[in-house]
Amino acid sequence: MSYISDQKPFRGAVRAARSWLHSDAPSLSLNGSWQFRLSPRADVPDTIEWDTIEVPSHFGTPIYTNVQYPFPIDPPFVPDENPTGDYRRHIEVPPEWLGTGRVVLRFDGVESLFKVWVNDQEIGYASGSRLAHEFDVTASLKAGDNVIAVRVHQWSAASYLEDQDQWWRPGIFRDVTLRHSPDGGIEDAWLRASFHDGHGFLEPEIVSEGFPVTLRIPALGIEKVWEDAASVVAFDVGEVRPWSAELPFLYAAALSTTAETVSLRLGFRTVEIRGDQFLVNGRRVVFHGMNRHETHPVRGRVFDEEHARADLARMKQFNVNAIRTSHYPPHPRLLDLADELGFWVILECDLETHGFSALDWAGNPSDDPSWRAACLDRIERTVERDKNHPSIVIWSLGNEAGTGSNLAAMSAWVHGRDPSRPVHYEGDHAGEYTDVYSRMYSSVLETTAIGTDGSRAKLLGCTPAQGARQRTKPFLLCEYAHAMGNGPGALDQYEELVHRFPRLHGGFVWEWRDHGILTTAADGTPYYAYGGDFGEVVHDGNFVMDGMVLSNDVPTPGLHEYKAVVQPIRFSFGAGSVELANLRHSADTSDLAFRWQVTHDGEATSSGDLTVAAIEAGASARVPLPAVDIAAAPAETWLTVEAVLAEDTAWAPAGHVVAVAQLDCSAPRAVAATPREPRWEPGDGTLTLGPAAFDQGTLVRLAGRTVAGPRLELFRAPTDNDEGTSGNPAESDGSLAGVSNAALWRRDGLDRLTTRVVSVSTAPGALKTVSRVAAAHSGRSVVVETVWTLAGDELDLRVSIEPSRGWSTVWPRIGIRFDFPDGDNPIDSAEWFGTGPLESYPDSRHAALVGRFSAGISDLSADYARPQETGHRAGLRSLTLGGGLRIDTVPDTRGRRPGFTLTRHTPQEMARAPHPYQLPPSTTSYLFIDAAQHGLGSRACGPDVWPDFALRPEARTIRLRIR
Ligand code: IPT
């Protein structure tokens, strides 16, 4: 079994890497049912019975680790306990394939090492899970029935190079194809298409046994015949429309010999680094990108074109313009889709050795000559397979593989092979062998230092001279804004830097999707599994659930925030007009229609279209606005302006909102005075005040419903960011190095507050209670004064919340909770005038618009894979619950209004449930009215909440009017 620990990536009849071409040469898909048997060890005893398996798919049990190797770090060896699958199938080879040309067996993806036999003759073996391998099987085939056998080992030397943060899932997980390569066919083709001064240029490279080769580009009227290899030279194709992620013009092209025709789609574009700027077609690119893994809740890494296309369309709908193929080449069709829909792509090689960081990088394959061939093979297969795609504008050597000479050699190879695209690798902190400066999760402060001259700021891992070199390069964040659970915050702060500093080229959110695996709990309840759910010995829990899209395809509130923050049209309101800035790379605004609407307290009173002549990319135009009829105070008047798609596109229908902004046109409002305090007398507090009944100072019924509350709530079910410990505490307010905020909240007992009523007093039409709220074994407390006053048929509630001295951490929230037990009339929906339609937090509130909204209670929460804080809607004006009870908020003396959350579980219940199915059955609806919430940050892997949005213990007053 020694080949399992072979550092050489392949042996046997493996063919040279080449482009993944669409050819008319005959081929047979070998996808489908294969015979299969699975052994827990690297040897497969004959006693194991054959079963069947679908190809492509995975076998075995999923294991999730981020950085950890799930086997001893003993390179290049792996344990004998090595799940190994034997695959077999019969194929009928068309007789005309034999005797002429070659027959090639292609595997587009097998994890992690596989050996191939045809008719019992060993053909060879190969590794490089997310890379294509082709074997020449001509000599082993016979007419009629043939048997193909493949043995796949989960672990191999190659596993050391594939330590990406994802599920380990072995198997033949991409297509298997047998193709006939005819004599005189086209072996490989590269049509490098560039764009200069309105003209397209082609620099062809053709590997063919047969000449002449004819190139046809019908839309350009080109038909060119090359008689021999020497005559294939670069030429000007004349005027073309350039390719860009915004206007992805593709020209169909065909290359033919007498034996074979391959078809390609050409996108003419020129990638260039000029000074510290990254340009395509002479214009600076800003990446509004996502890190995209290949993951599907049922299929795993098995590609599903329809699902991938829907996902890419979703990206376009959310103003995403770029993809980093983290951390390996995707299924080759993905790049066809990217060419066609329009994305800037960083195509990354299948390489990560992150686990060596645990050994301080000792023995890291990136810097060990015995792994050099494997590293070079990987980058060659990466570049060769996908080199024709206009969407690919940067090659990336891999991810988190430390640094070393093998990476430098890979870079040198790319530079030699493809001078037309820059090389990226984040781990090259000192900039020794890469063309762009790239970082992950650098804070806003540090990113600002990179954007400015910053000659005195020390850059991570750099000497001053290296730092100076890095500052001469274009900068991008290959990962930022870790989107785990509720978050990330501060997207707007990063975005703002991009427009301030031309050296900064935006970045790629970590990451696009959650990697949940659809499975069922013991009682049959379906749920999305994460690390540890399959009994893994080592795992990294829910760190694999860090996407902008949940496992079930639902965009998170974080993605809505992202869409709003990066919207390509910026609106600046002036007197009677709005300035529209087109922030795009190259597209003007002729694809957009602009419309406006005026609302009074959320009800539309007038609307119309704005006439806007096309605005060039990078330009702006001032457009007059209609006269806004302003409602009498206290009603609010808002003007909303939207840019929508004028026509259907490949990724969204006409009318899809691309960008939106609101202007508050309300008449000035007077701040409501606090009602004068009556003369309080001690009382037992059992009384009725209009719709409210009290028993010894405690509210028991409201508008005919049983109710409990209000009780102080300072706790929220910690978000993944609240539980995080990363980031540099010096750059945020209140974090402690290595200690999460959630741990401090638990230490301080915020999740287990108790109450002592200090006093109850009454006055005509009024009730007041004073309570002291504190946790066991704590001297810190909060005094809560509650005053109920009947004013006509309305009940005025004022809750004053005053912390004692000595609270040292940030607080998750300052709010009150009402409990509404279901009885026979559960509260299951809300209608409100405030912000919405989705949740918002202090550092994530750009997607929230002011308006009138309604939702069922289950739609008020986001279904994060691990239950956590969700559903806070800031800036509440008025709320109607279950169709009856109406609660209006009164701004505090600084004009601030509380937000609300309506949910079926308490934060304490949510904090205890690792998965949604573990939440207890609910018999109560809980209403939280929060004077304030702490921000979100991205501390699960990145900076904590920015100081401006951190909630410090402070005195707050909540005022409500209840009917
Ligand atoms: C970074 C990885 O590159 C990425 O794959 C993912 O694991 C991400 O973190 C966290 O989800 S590496 C980290 C050390 C910043």
Side-chain angles (χ1 to χ4, degrees):
M1 273 338 141
S2 63
Y3 74 100
I4 291 178
S5 51
D6 194 351
Q7 286 159 294
K8 195 165 180 309
F10 62 85
R11 289 189 200 256
V14 176
R15 313 219 347 149
R18 60 186 201 105
S19 305
W20 198 82
L21 293 167
H22 297 271
S23 159
D24 69 348
S27 69
L28 285 173
S29 167
L30 302 193
N31 291 354
S33 186
W34 289 54
Q35 286 179 286
F36 181 70
R37 59 183 184 185
L38 178 59
S39 162
R41 302 172 53 86
D43 43 356
V44 187
D46 261 334
T47 50
I48 298 184
E49 294 273 318
W50 287 96
D51 194 353
T52 57
I53 194 170
E54 270 306 293
V55 167
S57 71
H58 298 289
F59 63 73
T61 311
I63 299 173
Y64 166 59
T65 63
N66 169 14
V67 176
Q68 308 181 74
Y69 285 111
F71 46 80
I73 310 180
D74 176 23
F77 305 103
V78 292
D80 301 336
E81 290 87 353
N82 185 354
T84 293
D86 268 354
Y87 296 70
R88 262 170 76 90
R89 68 168 285 170
H90 290 261
I91 47 155
E92 198 71 32
V93 177
E96 64 276 16
W97 287 21
L98 301 172
T100 102
R102 324 238 20 112
V103 184
V104 174
L105 178 59
R106 182 175 69 220
F107 294 85
D108 283 317
V110 182
E111 182 168 329
S112 75
L113 170 70
F114 66 112
K115 193 165 185 171
V116 180
W117 294 262
V118 172
N119 298 326
D120 290 332
Q121 294 174 29
E122 191 175 316
I123 304 296
Y125 60 84
S127 62
S129 298
R130 275 69 60 163
L131 302 167
H133 295 90
E134 291 185 319
F135 296 86
D136 189 330
V137 295
T138 319
S140 307
L141 289 173
K142 53 187 174 41
D145 183 53
N146 292 266
V147 175
I148 301 199
V150 186
R151 175 165 289 181
V152 180
H153 301 283
Q154 171 157 26
W155 311 121
S156 66
S159 304
Y160 286 96
L161 307 180
E162 298 179 357
D163 190 24
Q164 290 94 342
D165 176 9
Q166 63 174 345
W167 296 97
W168 300 86
R169 298 201 74 177
I172 305 179
F173 70 96
R174 282 186 191 155
D175 313 297
V176 184
T177 317
L178 193 68
R179 63 177 186 90
H180 185 236
S181 172
D183 284 332
I186 295 173
E187 181 55 23
D188 198 4
W190 187 4
L191 298 182
R192 283 178 252 209
S194 59
F195 179 77
H196 302 276
D197 299 329
H199 279 226
F201 293 82
L202 270 189
E203 197 188 328
E205 179 190 289
I206 291 157
V207 182
S208 173
E209 292 165 5
F211 273 90
V213 173
T214 307
L215 166 70
R216 291 191 183 83
I217 312 174
L220 297 175
I222 288 177
E223 177 162 336
K224 217 175 174 75
V225 182
W226 292 301
E227 294 299 335
D228 51 30
S231 60
V232 180
V233 288
F235 66 102
D236 181 343
V237 302
E239 270 184 32
V240 296
R241 307 187 73 169
W243 185 96
S244 73
E246 292 162 0
L247 300 168
F249 291 111
L250 292 172
Y251 292 87
L255 281 171
S256 315
T257 65
T258 49
E260 184 177 10
T261 294
V262 298
S263 18
L264 297 117
R265 290 181 306 177
L266 309 179
F268 293 90
R269 69 183 198 1
T270 296
V271 177
E272 173 193 10
I273 289 178
R274 208 184 290 160
D276 60 5
Q277 295 199 25
F278 176 82
L279 312 175
V280 174
N281 300 335
R283 300 180 71 96
R284 170 175 171 254
V285 169
V286 172
F287 296 109
H288 290 137
M290 292 285 156
N291 278 281
R292 179 187 179 278
H293 260 289
E294 296 222 289
T295 174
H296 183 282
V298 176
R299 299 166 64 99
R301 268 189 287 283
V302 176
F303 187 70
D304 175 342
E305 184 163 330
E306 222 174 291
H307 188 253
R309 184 185 279 276
D311 241 10
L312 263 51
R314 193 173 294 122
M315 288 186 190
K316 297 285 283 190
Q317 289 159 16
F318 282 84
N319 291 333
V320 172
N321 71 4
I323 296 171
R324 172 176 178 232
T325 69
S326 54
H327 299 305
Y328 43 81
H331 187 282
R333 276 291 291 159
L334 198 272
L335 297 155
D336 287 340
L337 301 181
D339 290 347
E340 189 179 308
L341 292 167
F343 289 94
W344 311 116
V345 173
I346 298 189
L347 198 283
E348 193 150 274
C349 180
D350 190 356
L351 176 68
E352 174 156 345
T353 64
H354 209 162
F356 284 86
S357 60
L359 312 183
D360 236 347
W361 298 107
N364 180 17
S366 306
D367 200 29
D368 177 340
S370 62
W371 293 96
R372 194 178 186 101
C375 292
L376 284 168
D377 180 59
R378 281 172 186 259
I379 193 68
E380 266 183 63
R381 287 184 187 283
T382 299
V383 171
E384 295 297 349
R385 193 195 74 170
D386 295 333
K387 55 188 179 284
N388 279 297
H389 292 283
S391 54
I392 299 173
V393 292
I394 295 181
W395 298 112
S396 174
L397 304 177
N399 182 62
E400 290 285 9
T403 190
S405 55
N406 295 340
L407 287 159
M410 290 165 76
S411 179
W413 184 86
V414 181
H415 284 136
R417 180 73 179 119
D418 182 10
S420 74
R421 295 172 174 112
V423 173
H424 163 275
Y425 173 65
E426 188 272 347
D428 180 24
H429 292 303
E432 288 164 344
Y433 47 87
T434 48
D435 305 311
V436 294
Y437 182 29
S438 171
R439 287 286 308 282
M440 44 172 82
Y441 310 105
S442 61
S443 67
V444 168
L445 283 178
E446 208 188 339
T447 311
T448 311
I450 295 167
T452 58
D453 169 49
S455 33
R456 259 170 293 170
K458 180 159 163 40
L459 302 188
L460 183 85
C462 294
T463 65
Q466 289 165 336
R469 174 169 63 197
Q470 290 293 58
R471 276 195 211 81
T472 65
K473 298 179 183 172
F475 176 80
L476 62 89
L477 282 158
C478 67
E479 296 176 21
Y480 81 115
H482 193 259
M484 186 179 185
N486 191 346
L491 284 168
D492 51 350
Q493 288 176 282
Y494 284 97
E495 182 63 13
E496 192 261 334
L497 296 181
V498 164
H499 300 291
R500 214 160 11 121
F501 304 114
R503 176 183 300 158
L504 306 186
H505 291 75
F508 296 78
V509 167
W510 187 267
E511 66 178 304
W512 173 244
R513 296 183 71 85
D514 277 4
H515 298 220
I517 295 179
L518 185 60
T519 180
T520 49
D523 69 354
T525 312
Y527 76 101
Y528 291 101
Y530 52 72
D533 290 336
F534 298 102
E536 299 105 297
V537 179
V538 295
H539 66 82
D540 288 296
N542 68 325
F543 211 62
V544 76
M545 308 298 248
D546 50 3
M548 282 276 186
V549 174
L550 301 175
S551 303
N552 61 359
D553 293 346
V554 173
T556 61
L559 184 58
H560 288 269
E561 172 75 3
Y562 181 84
K563 175 185 177 183
V565 164
V566 307
Q567 60 184 23
I569 305 296
R570 195 157 50 194
F571 305 83
S572 319
F573 291 101
S577 67
V578 60
E579 182 169 87
L580 305 172
N582 176 2
L583 306 180
R584 291 164 162 186
H585 171 266
S586 39
D588 67 20
T589 58
S590 56
D591 58 328
L592 302 176
F594 292 83
R595 40 186 210 208
W596 61 271
Q597 185 185 57
V598 172
T599 55
H600 290 168
D601 275 359
E603 307 288 358
T605 56
S606 54
S607 61
D609 297 325
L610 291 179
T611 314
V612 181
I615 306 167
E616 291 298 311
S620 26
R622 187 164 285 284
V623 176
L625 286 171
V628 175
D629 58 312
I630 296 180
E636 293 181 39
T637 300
W638 285 81
L639 170 69
T640 305
V641 181
E642 288 176 337
V644 303
L645 286 181
E647 316 248 327
D648 292 353
T649 63
W651 46 270
H656 163 83
V657 177
V658 171
V660 57
Q662 283 191 312
L663 179 67
D664 185 355
C665 305
S666 310
R669 290 173 283 266
V671 175
T674 311
R676 208 61 186 263
E677 291 264 328
R679 268 183 92 89
W680 295 110
E681 304 282 350
D684 89 327
T686 302
L687 75 166
T688 300
L689 290 178
F694 299 86
D695 183 15
Q696 303 190 37
T698 305
L699 176 69
V700 290
R701 291 189 74 73
L702 193 58
R705 287 183 177 278
T706 306
V707 63
R711 53 167 274 176
L712 177 73
E713 188 57 84
L714 300 179
F715 187 60
R716 70 182 184 192
T719 65
D720 293 310
N721 294 314
D722 293 337
E723 295 283 7
T725 56
S726 79
N728 175 0
E731 291 177 350
S732 66
D733 189 28
S735 354
L736 283 179
V739 184
S740 72
N741 287 318
L744 298 173
W745 300 340
R746 288 189 209 103
R747 179 200 70 186
D748 290 352
L750 297 189
D751 56 338
R752 49 183 168 81
L753 297 174
T754 59
T755 304
R756 174 171 67 80
V757 176
V758 176
S759 66
V760 177
S761 32
T762 55
L767 168 71
K768 172 164 95 168
T769 64
V770 177
S771 308
R772 183 181 187 277
V773 180
H777 196 60
S778 169
R780 293 176 278 241
S781 64
V782 180
V783 170
V784 181
E785 185 184 278
T786 304
V787 177
W788 298 90
T789 314
L790 194 59
D793 58 351
E794 271 191 3
L795 199 54
D796 185 288
L797 168 63
R798 179 167 53 80
V799 182
S800 311
I801 299 163
E802 294 153 16
S804 71
R805 303 176 42 176
W807 292 96
S808 59
T809 70
V810 294
W811 273 355
R813 66 167 8 129
I814 302 176
I816 52 176
R817 180 182 114 191
F818 293 92
D819 303 7
F820 295 100
D822 285 350
D824 36 352
N825 186 15
I827 288 185
D828 57 3
S829 65
E831 272 176 60
W832 72 102
F833 172 43
T835 67
L838 296 181
E839 62 192 50
S840 59
Y841 290 82
D843 54 355
S844 175
R845 62 205 156 118
H846 292 269
L849 299 175
V850 174
R852 214 165 259 287
F853 308 96
S854 63
I857 193 163
S858 59
D859 295 329
L860 287 167
S861 302
D863 283 326
Y864 298 116
R866 185 185 70 79
Q868 54 194 279
E869 164 65 26
T870 168
H872 173 77
R873 284 160 174 83
L876 177 68
R877 279 72 164 172
S878 173
L879 171 70
T880 306
L881 291 182
L885 184 64
R886 172 156 166 182
I887 300 172
D888 290 346
T889 67
V890 180
D892 71 5
T893 49
R894 285 166 56 183
R896 299 173 295 193
R897 295 194 191 249
F900 84 99
T901 304
L902 184 67
T903 160
R904 295 293 291 176
H905 291 97
T906 66
Q908 289 77 1
E909 288 171 337
M910 292 208 279
R912 278 192 293 268
H915 301 88
Y917 76 84
Q918 287 155 313
L919 287 165
S922 165
T923 55
T924 304
S925 293
Y926 300 96
L927 172 67
F928 294 86
I929 302 284
D930 289 323
Q933 273 261 358
H934 182 52
L936 298 173
S938 55
R939 204 179 175 204
C941 185
D944 200 356
V945 175
W946 185 255
D948 293 3
F949 309 112
L951 180 59
R952 284 276 159 200
E954 63 182 24
R956 296 293 289 245
T957 299
I958 295 172
R959 258 189 82 194
L960 306 176
R961 290 189 161 231
I962 303 174
R963 267 186 278 165

